[in-house]
Amino acid sequence: MKLHDTGVYLVNGVPQTSAPAGVTEADAKKGTIAYGILKAHNTGDSMQDLRMKFDSMTSHDITYVGIIQTARASGMTEFPLPYVMTNCHNSLCAVGGTINEDDHQFALSAAHKYGGIYVPPNMAVIHSYNREMMSGCGRMILGSDSHTRYGALGTMAVGEGGGELAKQLVGRTYDMSYPGVVAIYLTGKPAPGVGPHDVALALVAATYANGYVKNKVMEFVGPGVANLSADYRNGIDVMTTETTCWSSIWQTDDTTKEYFVQHGRPEAYKELKPADVAYYDGCIELDLSTVECMIALPMHPSYAYPIRELKANAKEILQAAQDQANRQLGGKVEMDLVGKICDDGRIYVDQGVVAGCSGGTYENICAVADIIKGKSCGNGEFKFSVYPDSMPTYLELVKNGAVADIVSAGGIFRECFCGPCFGAGDTPANGEFSIRHTTRNFPNREGSKPGEGQISAVALMDARSIAATAANGGYLTAASELTDVEYTVPDYHFEQGVYDKRVYNGWGHPEPDYALKFGPNIKDWPEQPALTDDLLVKIVSYITDPVTTTDELIPSGETSSFRSNPLRLAEFTLSRKDPAYVPNAKAVKALDEQRKAGELPAEVARVYDDLKKLGYEPDAANTNIGSAIFANKPGDGSAREQAASCQRVLGGAANFACEYATKRYRSNCINWGMLPFLVENPGALDNGDYVYLPGVRKALLEAADELDAVAVKPDGGLVKFTVKLGAMTDAERRILADGCLINYYKNN
């Protein structure tokens, strides 16, 4: 794999580093596939400052209630574009009584009232339904899940927080600067046993840490594309999220065309390819024939190694991964990976899972069946489960015998569910090691609760190598090691009637008088204050990890059941990373309640006295008091807006960071009225410090490059420093000034 240090021109399909005679870089940038799609969806006058509207949207049952509640509070009366609501996350969370199915009934009633599309529980995982029924060449889809990726089907798809979807529902636009575009130039053909997850993990390992494609578009081109099936392309594409890119797009061909014909939508196809000359801001050249069977060790998809290399250096590599994981766990509990090395040198795993939008596809499961047919998973500790990505996939696997082959070998065949990917399904036992073809292996996604002494570990692998490991009784085995497997891939026949009989499609037919069904756990968003002239915040959590994921900011798993109840969910904020955060944030919120009641708390009065030493005269009536966190690089991972909204409903007013891991999380902070400050001198801050930001509202609205800040230490010491807010649109500045997106719409 080669990552170019400079921009690259693709000239008649061949990469070169210099421009052809008479061609300017500016003109050649218009030759990418991405440019054409973005231009078609841009409603603004400038291609540098995009103002986009999408063709459709999608959410699952962790996010759609909050989005609809936001849009209702902002004046929405019907869905102005097709909106797919799937129920693939909370469908098996046996927590909280009726509250999960209550959410599903809310979504069905919303589909009737506002004209939406409702996909019942266990019918399909979110991204598979959208691939099958909503994708189309040249289209754009916005989803409230970070893995909203349909680029392999010619669709630029974007995963964002709920606030961005609410904007579309009230007729506003998705605003951003024109992104960089990086070519992923594929050549060659994958070796037998090497699956899409292997290619994806290799790409993630090469791009995540160095930020090569961060917030950019990955555009897949080159002769190697033709050597990949549609399922294979989809399997690579869904993992582009883990590189921290913004979106993805692939050149299309007869394979893409056949996919749409197969799914009864031939009109959705058109050829997409770069112009004869196209300029890319970067280029990755990847020979698919060089990719090996891979494993991504805990606790990130980028910690990837060839399985061959891991097995040859098991002690060294597992010790390094174990040490890294335990540093990240902060001493709460010890992960033991080295203990999985057996006396004979083999590595034993306790569980294998193939699931979701990345693992549960038709071809992946057919390959699993080919590998495991006639074999046995064994009756020891190892267990093996397979989740199909949709009921049409499930039906075809029943018809061709794949389900029978897997079950006959001792595997468990389950329903369409995303649980193993986000921590709510097939939770291992304490101390166990699970290998999964899912999208993420972040901390706690396997159900761990380090604060309660519970820890298990997840590594990511392709379905083929997981099946090979299952066939070998749980001893780690790469599919490429097998020499007696014939990969059959029976023809796929899509049965749309499965959806026609169960999916409610109300698009274009809203029923305004239809009553929404509210369960007792579905609550409105609490009101949020506008930004005052000055601001005082207290740092109540100080996180020095290199990266802080959204799963650490608000854990997934069983907490998902409370996603429709903002205050109840907020009780879990940072619970597995910093259990003191919630009580500390509540204590600061109580100080602001006292201030608003006309009483200046003694703790705040002491801070004001210290500030007067520098000549400041704080005005309590015009100075909100809020909590804040410092983290080096927060926001890697999920699009879930609750990573920001939970902080906000607990009184959060700002975050301080050296950088933000993704645009998604930063946008969520903005939409919830939390100032996303950037600091160049994190040493100026510490946990327990107050930070005073004089004139913050004026500086925000006037787009000041820097803002003055003063850290007031617990001992009365004072440290002056500066912060930045980074690039923002005028609307984003107004949202922050108004206090949140809902307030902004009420005021405008």
Side-chain angles (χ1 to χ4, degrees), residues 357-670:
C357 57
S358 63
T361 61
Y362 177 74
E363 288 185 9
N364 281 342
I365 297 177
C366 284
V368 167
D370 288 333
I371 291 169
I372 207 167
K373 182 177 182 179
K375 301 194 171 59
S376 170
C377 300
N379 60 1
E381 292 185 3
F382 180 81
K383 45 268 184 187
F384 180 48
S385 300
V386 176
Y387 297 71
D389 65 348
S390 74
M391 276 297 168
T393 295
Y394 195 172
L395 178 60
E396 193 65 12
L397 292 166
V398 169
K399 289 180 177 179
N400 70 24
V403 173
D405 291 336
I406 292 169
V407 173
S408 296
I412 305 298
F413 212 90
R414 300 190 184 274
E415 55 288 290
C416 312
F417 181 47
C418 297
C421 191
F422 76 98
D426 266 316
T427 301
N430 181 55
E432 288 195 334
F433 186 29
S434 174
I435 52 174
R436 302 186 180 190
H437 190 151
T438 56
T439 55
R440 287 197 173 123
N441 59 338
F442 286 177
N444 312 320
R445 279 192 169 232
E446 72 292 347
S448 296
K449 291 184 178 181
E452 298 179 18
Q454 302 171 40
I455 187 67
S456 54
V458 163
L460 301 184
M461 284 170 48
D462 188 82
R464 292 151 188 79
S465 293
I466 295 173
T469 300
N472 198 16
Y475 293 99
L476 188 68
T477 306
S480 56
E481 298 175 44
L482 306 180
T483 58
D484 59 346
V485 178
E486 179 183 355
Y487 293 102
T488 57
V489 192
D491 289 342
Y492 179 65
H493 305 93
F494 176 69
E495 177 52 68
Q496 186 173 325
V498 175
Y499 289 147
D500 293 341
K501 294 179 178 69
R502 288 291 298 129
V503 173
Y504 175 76
N505 190 338
W507 164 239
H509 304 285
E511 303 169 49
D513 295 331
Y514 201 98
L516 291 176
K517 293 186 178 180
F518 289 92
N521 190 57
I522 298 176
K523 305 296 183 183
D524 291 332
W525 290 110
E527 291 188 6
Q528 300 301 331
L531 181 63
T532 45
D533 293 340
D534 306 330
L535 180 64
L536 182 69
V537 297
K538 186 176 184 180
I539 306 294
V540 294
S541 187
Y542 193 92
I543 303 170
T544 57
D545 292 348
V547 179
T548 303
T549 70
T550 49
D551 283 83
E552 292 169 298
L553 292 165
I554 180 64
S556 57
E558 80 279 8
T559 62
S560 302
S561 292
F562 302 108
R563 287 282 155 71
S564 302
N565 188 329
L567 291 173
R568 195 168 180 189
L569 178 65
E571 296 288 334
F572 295 94
T573 311
L574 280 168
S575 59
R576 297 181 189 174
K577 185 67 182 176
D578 183 0
Y581 170 80
V582 170
N584 288 341
K586 287 181 175 180
V588 176
K589 186 176 176 64
L591 296 177
D592 197 50
E593 294 298 327
Q594 285 182 259
R595 177 196 68 85
K596 288 188 290 186
E599 177 187 348
L600 187 63
E603 181 177 338
V604 177
R606 189 268 302 168
V607 171
Y608 283 0
D609 287 340
D610 291 332
L611 288 167
K612 289 174 184 178
K613 299 172 188 175
L614 293 178
Y616 294 107
E617 292 291 337
D619 177 5
N622 290 303
T623 306
N624 285 347
I625 304 170
S627 58
I629 68 169
F630 169 82
N632 277 318
K633 188 178 178 181
D636 185 27
S638 174
R640 68 176 78 111
E641 66 181 295
Q642 293 92 345
S645 67
C646 283
Q647 289 178 256
R648 185 61 168 158
V649 301
L650 289 171
N655 281 341
F656 295 88
C658 297
E659 67 174 300
Y660 290 86
T662 61
K663 175 191 176 297
R664 294 186 296 273
Y665 175 66
R666 183 174 181 270
S667 294
N668 287 338
C669 290
I670 292 170

Side-chain angles (χ1 to χ4, degrees), residues 210-264:
N210 58 25
Y212 191 80
V213 295
K214 182 178 177 180
N215 293 332
K216 297 181 174 68
V217 178
M218 296 176 75
E219 186 160 309
F220 289 78
V221 295
V225 173
N227 295 325
L228 305 176
S229 68
D231 257 10
Y232 206 113
R233 298 176 196 182
N234 285 331
I236 298 171
D237 187 63
V238 73
M239 286 295 290
T240 58
T241 297
E242 301 313 316
T243 67
T244 69
C245 79
W246 175 72
S247 187
S248 64
I249 193 68
W250 292 55
Q251 66 186 43
T252 62
D253 54 17
D254 286 345
T255 298
T256 323
K257 182 177 182 179
E258 175 57 28
Y259 179 92
F260 287 117
V261 170
Q262 189 180 66
H263 288 79

